[in-house]
Amino acid sequence: MIPFEYLTPHTLDEAISLLDPEDPDIRPVGGGTAVMLMMKAGVLRPTRLVSLRRLEGRHGQIQIDQKGALRIGGMATLASLENSPLVRTGWPVLARTFRSLSNQRVRNVATIGGNLAHADPHMDMPPVLSALGATVIATGPSGSREIAVEDLCVGYYETVLERNELISEVVVPAMDGACAAYSKVTTRAAHDWPALGLAVSLRLEGQVIQEASVVLGAATDRPTRLAKAEAMLRGAAAEAGHLKQVGMAATDALDIVSDQHGSAGYKKHLLSIYLGRTVNAAINTSNKGADHDAH
Ligand SMILES: Cc1cc2nc3c(=O)[nH]c(=O)nc-3n(C[C@H](O)[C@H](O)[C@H](O)COP(=O)(O)OP(=O)(O)OC[C@H]3O[C@@H](n4cnc5c(N)ncnc54)[C@H](O)[C@@H]3O)c2cc1C
């Protein structure tokens, strides 16, 4: 292994100043779970790693702001989110999704900032957070900007972040009566990488869907909003025949790609089935409310 510097700044400003907008071999590290795998595989040979683990504690906090939005420090671990009473009560779909992601050892150290910045199209959180309308706060030398999670990934392992910008916060709007579900379809263990990830968030009035937000993961080169399916769901009841039609139409004009988890044809088939199942799961959770699972 080529020797590299490992720096442990204590403030966000200091961490940002140690990054270099021109140098791809200088990288921030949150939990390091993806960075270490990339180094082992030889696809990343850093000259400097800037660890975010010693940053002030406030960068790992989970709070609710005055508007009722969930504000998550970029360095909050996935385990802290999974176990947060605030998350489990107000955003149960997030708590459930965290639990299905990888294993406890990874979740104990992986951070939400590192998770969203990694931009592997198979990640579970980007579709869910996109469907909920979440944003990230990206902080760089000249200040902070807000980016919709939906606009963060622009391709395989590629984001709109500058090399000296850090995800300092993630903001998830209040559910405010919406119901949501995420289907993680795996071909091996339940917590494995998904062959298909589908997130649905709905606003209902009686039996009728008033608003629908549907985002697909693990099938295209980035999380993809299914606008046609959303339009077909709006103003309709979740009736089996209609959901089947929406599922078939959802695959239109999508550039679904094959990978080690399944062929493009298989993923298309999964999408056509899981669209209706995920809509029904979202509606069922609206009757159940908060996430009370003991684990
Ligand atoms: C065995 C295993 C199984 C897994 N299974 C799944 C799975 O089923 N589903 C799933 O979604 N994921 C899965 N993962 C991926 C896991 O979710 C990610 O590795 C993890 O979330 C990355 O977070 P991290 O803090 O460790 O990031 P790091 O490894 O520290 O960093 C990842 C990337 O983000 C950059 N970065 C880190 N922090 C920031 C920041 N605050 N701002 C800007 N850039 C930053 C780094 O430079 C690097 O490019 C798995 C990982 C492992 C090791």
Side-chain angles (χ1 to χ4, degrees), residues 14 19 32 68 74 78-79 85 100 105 133 143 146-147 161 164 178-179 208 231 287-288 293:
E14 195 188 347
L19 299 169
L78 306 188
S100 72
R105 279 166 299 148
E146 198 168 346
I147 306 167
L161 293 171
N164 58 348
C179 54
V208 178
N287 305 323
K288 282 193 200 137
D293 290 2

Side-chain angles (χ1 to χ4, degrees), residues 27-38 52 74-75 78 100-103 106 109-111 113-115 117-118 122-125 161 165-167 184 191-194:
R27 297 286 276 264
V29 190
T33 58
V35 164
M36 291 308 150
L37 284 186
M38 292 191 289
L52 307 176
M75 271 41 89
L78 306 188
S100 72
L101 190 157
S102 184
N103 57 54
V106 169
V109 289
T111 61
N115 183 281
H118 188 44
H122 296 91
M123 309 286 284
D124 291 299
M125 295 323 296
L161 293 171
E165 269 184 324
L166 290 171
I167 294 178
K184 171 170 180 153
H191 59 270
D192 206 347
W193 288 96

